[in-house]
Amino acid sequence: MEVGIDIEELQRIKSAYERFGRKFLDRFLSKKEIEYCLSKKRIIECLGGRFCAKEAVIKIYDGRIGFKDIEIISDGKPVVLVKSKKSNIKLSISHTKNYATAVAILP
């Protein structure tokens, strides 16, 4: 079993988004993920959650994959695609007013 976890301050995500806009999003999200987060009421929390989720998955793979190799889709619960293929990774994403976090487990 492999486990990855990440936590981020949402202010850091907000600052990067305000400074770099779409360029920042394009570095770590797919077009579908961008559309999904920008459709939400709490955009920064969604972006932070996706960022943490991808960092947690990258840790499972010991850094052998990057942000763009991972896509998080929502199907009632988050589903992890790695290099466009559904994975067995279980993912939990959470956030508060100030932080986002994610835990990824590969059984």
Side-chain angles (χ1 to χ4, degrees), residues 13-30:
I13 300 296
K14 182 179 180 187
S15 294
Y17 180 54
E18 288 174 348
R19 184 171 179 195
F20 300 107
R22 182 68 185 238
K23 187 176 179 180
F24 169 67
L25 302 182
D26 287 337
R27 284 191 72 193
F28 76 96
L29 295 175
S30 70

Side-chain angles (χ1 to χ4, degrees), residues 13-105:
I13 300 296
K14 182 179 180 187
S15 294
Y17 180 54
E18 288 174 348
R19 184 171 179 195
F20 300 107
R22 182 68 185 238
K23 187 176 179 180
F24 169 67
L25 302 182
D26 287 337
R27 284 191 72 193
F28 76 96
L29 295 175
S30 70
K31 289 180 183 182
K32 287 181 188 176
E33 290 171 315
I34 292 169
E35 289 173 9
Y36 177 79
C37 285
L38 295 182
S39 75
K40 295 295 180 185
K41 216 178 220 186
R42 297 169 65 181
I43 293 170
I44 301 303
E45 288 89 338
C46 185
L47 296 173
R50 287 298 192 275
F51 187 89
C52 287
K54 289 186 175 207
E55 283 281 352
V57 172
I58 288 167
K59 289 173 183 174
I60 284 176
Y61 287 92
D62 293 325
R64 294 184 310 265
I65 62 173
F67 286 116
K68 298 298 263 188
D69 294 320
I70 305 161
E71 186 173 34
I72 311 299
I73 58 172
S74 296
D75 188 22
K77 60 183 177 181
V79 175
V80 181
L81 304 178
V82 177
K83 297 187 178 180
S84 301
K85 295 179 183 173
K86 189 173 178 180
S87 71
N88 292 331
I89 296 171
K90 306 299 180 204
L91 181 65
S92 181
I93 302 171
S94 189
H95 52 75
T96 66
K97 181 180 176 184
N98 298 311
Y99 295 94
T101 189
V103 176
I105 299 173

